[in-house]
Structures are given as structure tokens and as C-alpha cells.
Amino acid sequence: MLSRGRALVAGLSVYWKPLFRGRLLLVTNTLSCGALLAAGDTLRQAWERRREPERKRDLARTARMFAVGCSMGPLMHYWYLWLDGAFPAAGLSGIRSVLKKVFIDQIVASPALGVWYFLGMGSLEGQTLAHSWQDLEDNFWEFYKMDWCVWPPAQLVNFLYLSPKYRVIYMNVITLGWDTYLSYLKHRPKQTPLNMEEDSEPCAMEIQTTS
């Protein structure tokens, strides 16, 4: 039974192994980024529709998430190629270099990809740059604090134990939950600041008084 299972896996590897070699690796990383960002949005919308049954599925929103994910794929692909070349280390014997890679990834790639995500989504939604930038400012620190909770331990496993060709696909699998969170951040209802509501009350009273 076990030998049959191994034979089946070995037979299927003929089809999936080429996806992680040469130019096809870039295609795999690009499409997996888009597909899993779209999947995260699909999960988020399913949760939203359970809370509001009258709400309709927004396919255009999911398509925008897919497009932004695909645009991030090549960035991640070449970033990790560079990072592995600059700090060639794996396993516990190279733990110091691995920790450097995790730290550099957090202070360079994470904020850069966060900016790319919010500005890219805003552009596809037809927002002005000023509007997209305000959206980024409203959400960035919440995004970045959560990023530090999730990605350093995930990246430690990534850099310690995985072959470089599997880095982006591993991140994309972990990212399914993260992408659901990103969809929540981008599409949650915007709340009117309390001070704006308070400022509007005297104006309303003044109008009533003058009338």
C-alpha cells in the first residue's frame, strides 16, 4: 500500500516538478499569488454574506484582488532570489544569516508590499492617488503590527528548511489566512471619526437657531 502511494506521488511529480524550474517558476509564483489573494477575498466575502444574507457576491472585487496578487508575484520572486544570493544559508548551522534574512525581509519587503497592495487596489477601484494614500495611512500601522506577529516565525521556517524554489509558493499557502485579513482591512466599512461627528453638531444647532 505504501509503495503504491509512493509510486503515485512519483508519477504525479512528472507534472508538477517542472512548475518549479526555470521560467515556469516565475509563472507559478505569479499565478499562485493572484489565485490565493483572490481565494482570501472569497473567504472574506463568504463571511460577510453570512452576516448580511442580502449582500451579493462581488466578483469584480475578487478580480481586482487577483490582479494585484499577480502584480506582486514577480516582485516576490525576484526579491527572494536576491535575498538567497546575498545571504546563502540554510539549516540551523546558518541561523545567524537566516535571522538577518528574516529581519531584512520584515523591514524592506513587508512594508513595500503593503504599500503596493493598498495603492494597487485603490487604483483598480478608480480612487485618486490622494484617496488611496489616505487609505494606506489609515490601515498601514495596523497591517504592519500584525505582519510582525505572523511573518517572522513563518519566514524562519521558510529560510531554515525550504529550498529557494519553494519559497514563494510556501508563503502563498500561509498567506491564504493573511490574504483574508488583507481583504478585511481594505474592504471593512469606513467609520466616521467621532470628532467629526461632534464638530458637525454645533453647525446643525447654529443653522436651527438662525432659521
Side-chain angles (χ1 to χ4, degrees):
M1 184 73 176
L2 186 59
S3 60
R4 288 182 181 178
R6 287 176 178 172
L8 178 61
V9 171
L12 291 175
S13 68
V14 174
Y15 300 99
W16 64 261
K17 278 188 176 181
L19 298 175
F20 295 91
R21 295 174 184 161
R23 294 180 180 178
L24 279 181
L25 179 58
L26 174 60
V27 176
T28 300
N29 289 337
T30 298
L31 292 179
S32 62
C33 280
L36 284 162
L37 203 59
D41 181 66
T42 298
L43 290 175
R44 176 63 196 174
Q45 288 200 50
W47 184 84
E48 291 171 352
R49 292 171 68 195
R50 286 189 64 183
R51 293 189 63 188
E52 304 174 39
E54 71 281 0
R55 190 172 188 145
K56 294 183 178 180
R57 177 85 165 86
D58 190 345
L59 293 176
R61 171 177 140 180
T62 303
R64 289 191 294 269
M65 295 284 280
F66 176 78
V68 169
C70 286
S71 72
M72 294 167 73
L75 299 177
M76 295 171 66
H77 175 85
Y78 289 110
W79 166 252
Y80 288 112
L81 283 180
W82 175 84
L83 202 58
D84 284 321
F87 301 94
L92 293 175
S93 61
I95 187 65
R96 295 182 68 177
S97 291
V98 167
L99 290 175
K100 287 179 183 178
K101 289 163 76 170
V102 171
F103 180 71
I104 292 171
D105 188 62
Q106 282 300 119
I107 64 172
V108 177
S110 291
L113 290 172
V115 171
W116 186 276
Y117 170 75
F118 283 104
L119 296 187
M121 285 297 297
S123 175
L124 292 178
E125 289 174 356
Q127 295 177 350
T128 63
L129 181 58
H131 188 175
S132 298
W133 190 261
Q134 185 60 52
D135 205 16
L136 172 66
E137 288 183 346
D138 292 343
N139 293 296
F140 181 79
W141 288 114
E142 182 178 346
F143 153 82
Y144 197 42
K145 285 185 287 186
M146 185 63 71
D147 189 281
W148 272 94
C149 294
V150 173
W151 286 111
Q155 292 291 52
L156 198 60
V157 173
N158 190 1
F159 294 133
L160 277 174
Y161 302 114
L162 294 184
S163 169
K165 62 185 177 181
Y166 298 126
R167 296 224 191 282
V168 175
I169 197 72
Y170 161 82
M171 286 186 61
N172 287 339
V173 172
I174 300 295
T175 271
L176 183 57
W178 179 252
D179 288 343
T180 305
Y181 170 71
L182 287 182
S183 178
Y184 157 75
L185 270 186
K186 183 68 182 71
H187 302 109
R188 62 184 171 179
K190 302 295 187 292
Q191 296 182 350
T192 304
L194 185 60
N195 59 350
M196 289 181 64
E197 294 178 357
E198 292 174 349
D199 290 344
S200 66
E201 289 179 2
C203 295
M205 293 177 62
E206 186 178 346
I207 292 172
Q208 290 176 1
T209 303
T210 55
S211 61

